[in-house]
Amino acid sequence: MSERPGFKTLDKDLGRITHAEVAQMHAFRPVWRLGLSMLALVGVLLIFLALSGAAPGVLATGAGLIVAAWLGVAIGSNDVANSLGPAVGAGAIRLLPGLLLVAGAGLLGAFLAGGAVSDRLAGGIIDLAPVSQGIRGPMVMVAALIGAASWITVATGIGLPVSTSHSIVGGIAGAGAVALGVTAVHWTTVLMIASVWMATPLVAGGLAGLLLAFLRAKVVDVPDRGEAALRWLPGMVATMCAAFAVYICVLTFDGSRLILMQPAAAALAGAAGYGVTHRGVLRELQDHPKKPSTKRLLRPALLIAVVIMGFAHGANDVGNIAGPLSVILKGQVPDWQIGLVPSVILIGAGLAIAAGTLLFGRRLVNMVGSGITKLNAGRAFCVSLATAVTVLGASGFGLPVSTTHVAVGGIFGVGFAREYLDRRRGARHDAMPVEETRRRMLVRRSHVVTITAAWLITLPITACLGALACALVLRATGV
């Protein structure tokens, strides 16, 4: 019996994500054990301080660096498959060069675009001005890092996918409420960030669905796919490259230099993207003139999406480390202004994320690759690009978001768009058994429930853990 489309494609893609999440848990075990060791080491430092009367600033710096380094490794190792998986699966790039490319793009994103999110986390969630010259502010951020790291470690151990960005926001709010009072927390900012967490998956889903509709209308579902690809794909990739180059220029230059550099950078990047894609499409048409593969036609586009996705990941997630760490290190260098994260911290945090990508990314992409990278190349491209654009937009406004949750929103958008287009095309299929229809509905609901539960649970739990850690740290240091 043939199957009606219904939500077949969406269920298939979500099923692959389910298998990928299971594989991801196993691949993440070495980092998880490293997290347990990190928490134990921080605990020993706290006990040592309480017994020896060592300077609180030494503890804050040491504990903050330890926890921040582990979080960077965890972020880099855990999210690399989101960026790299589809391109490796499509054969656009090999694993090792891909890891190097993602690590480099992430580091560049951290340095050029990570300041807004980092500044928001350093001084936008709690008011540190009353304690700007003391050690209490750094201790708040140490406690926030400990609370977030504790929850990520526990959640990973029990198999619950949680977001580092959500955890850090909750940890800062909880620790700040204990150390500085509930009124010191900017609750309107916390609510704004939380609303963005709900909105960004919807935005990514809408963008991914529109991209898929465009690809199918102009390239995939036309009689002569090769000619259509030669007409549309090079220009599409050129536009992507030019827009990304303009974005980089806005981050890097200002004034007259920006006016001069923008057109040149856009022209060069657009020409490079057009040339690479045009050559790749011609090669595919020469090798397979009668039936060109969409997967191979989209290889250059997927490769560009890898770079943009890696950049976006570094731009947004570096703030989870650099923001709190800048407040901690300010206790040792008082000239730093709260809320203004120095470039050296952005680079250091970016290096920690890059180290996680290079050290643990190979195993993760290999294991997840059997699930996520088998997404259709066109759908994978739409999801990757929509996720990158959404995350970069959030980063520009200094809003920390979950890359994984945004990507799953893109998968939903692509799935619903495909099924809608199939129904409009009027294809007739036999009805599925009731049991199969119910099973597929449960697959979709399970993802909605998992993401919603992770979002709802993480913020209050990390706030409580951050508050508890702050109370313990302040008691141990006598601050």
Side-chain angles (χ1 to χ4, degrees):
M1 179 182 292
S2 61
E3 297 180 346
R4 67 176 177 84
F7 292 101
K8 175 182 175 183
T9 302
L10 174 61
D11 294 328
K12 186 185 298 182
D13 289 351
L14 291 175
R16 287 165 178 158
I17 298 298
T18 299
H19 295 305
E21 287 172 350
V22 174
Q24 191 171 3
M25 295 302 301
H26 292 286
F28 195 65
R29 289 295 172 180
V31 186
W32 178 73
R33 289 192 289 267
L34 186 62
L36 290 176
S37 303
M38 175 273 302
L39 290 174
L41 180 58
V42 171
V44 170
L45 281 176
L46 286 172
I47 294 173
F48 174 78
L49 177 66
L51 296 177
S52 66
V58 175
L59 169 74
T61 302
L65 288 173
I66 292 171
V67 182
W70 178 77
L71 282 175
V73 171
I75 291 169
S77 62
N78 199 33
D79 287 351
V80 62
N82 293 334
S83 305
L84 189 57
V88 171
I93 192 170
R94 293 184 179 180
L95 181 56
L96 182 57
L99 290 172
L100 292 171
L101 184 64
V102 169
L107 182 59
L108 188 64
F111 175 66
L112 292 179
V117 175
S118 300
D119 291 345
R120 174 86 66 178
L121 292 175
I125 295 179
I126 57 176
D127 184 10
L128 292 173
V131 292
S132 60
Q133 301 303 319
I135 195 63
R136 186 168 282 250
M139 289 302 180
V140 168
M141 291 302 181
V142 169
L145 288 172
I146 293 174
S150 300
W151 172 236
I152 292 169
T153 304
V154 171
T156 302
I158 63 178
L160 180 65
V162 295
S163 165
T164 306
S165 300
H166 298 188
S167 302
I168 287 293
V169 171
I172 293 175
V178 167
L180 306 173
V182 176
T183 57
V185 181
H186 299 160
W187 296 110
T188 54
T189 300
V190 174
L191 289 175
M192 178 188 65
I193 293 173
S195 65
V196 170
W197 293 340
M198 292 186 290
T200 46
L202 299 177
V203 172
L207 288 175
L210 290 174
L211 283 170
L212 181 74
F214 178 84
L215 273 180
R216 288 191 58 168
K218 299 298 184 182
V219 178
V220 177
D221 292 339
V222 298
D224 192 341
R225 181 182 298 174
E227 181 183 351
L230 197 61
R231 181 187 307 119
W232 288 102
L233 288 183
M236 187 177 179
V237 174
T239 303
M240 289 167 46
C241 294
F244 187 57
V246 169
Y247 179 77
I248 297 293
C249 286
V250 171
L251 295 172
T252 308
F253 305 104
D254 55 12
S256 59
R257 291 186 301 170
L258 176 62
I259 296 175
L260 291 173
M261 292 300 299
Q262 267 188 338
L268 288 174
Y274 187 95
V276 170
T277 307
H278 190 268
R279 185 167 58 251
V281 172
L282 284 178
R283 186 183 304 114
E284 173 63 14
L285 294 181
Q286 291 172 358
D287 296 339
H288 305 87
K290 294 184 178 180
K291 194 175 182 180
S293 166
T294 304
K295 173 180 174 180
R296 290 187 293 268
L297 288 172
L298 285 172
R299 280 177 179 174
L302 276 172
L303 191 59
I304 300 299
V306 165
V307 176
I308 300 176
M309 184 80 165
F311 185 95
H313 180 241
N316 199 273
D317 280 10
V318 73
N320 299 328
I321 309 165
L325 196 58
S326 67
V327 178
I328 294 170
L329 295 180
K330 182 188 180 299
Q332 305 301 311
V333 186
D335 289 339
W336 285 353
Q337 180 183 348
I338 288 180
L340 184 62
V341 179
S343 297
V344 65
I345 297 183
L346 294 174
I347 294 174
L351 286 173
I353 295 175
T357 297
L358 296 175
L359 291 175
F360 299 100
R362 176 185 293 272
R363 184 184 183 196
L364 183 60
V365 173
N366 279 334
M367 295 187 72
V368 175
S370 61
I372 260 187
T373 58
K374 288 186 178 179
L375 289 175
N376 170 277
R379 300 198 298 273
F381 166 72
C382 295
V383 171
S384 298
L385 185 58
T387 301
V389 171
T390 304
V391 173
L392 282 176
S395 301
F397 288 100
L399 300 170
V401 296
S402 170
T403 306
T404 302
H405 290 184
V406 174
V408 173
I411 290 171
F412 269 94
V414 159
F416 285 126
R418 180 183 168 98
E419 307 309 342
Y420 171 76
L421 293 171
D422 285 343
R423 286 196 300 271
R424 282 195 61 185
R425 196 166 54 181
R428 297 181 60 87
H429 297 267
D430 296 333
M432 291 185 298
V434 176
E435 295 80 4
E436 178 65 10
T437 302
R438 178 177 174 80
R439 184 192 69 80
R440 294 187 173 189
M441 289 182 65
L442 290 175
V443 169
R444 296 192 298 274
R445 289 176 182 173
S446 68
H447 282 81
V448 174
V449 170
T450 299
I451 293 173
T452 304
W455 180 82
L456 291 176
I457 291 173
T458 294
L459 192 64
I461 286 183
T462 51
C464 292
L465 289 175
L468 177 61
C470 188
L472 293 175
V473 168
L474 295 180
R475 181 180 179 85
T477 58
V479 174

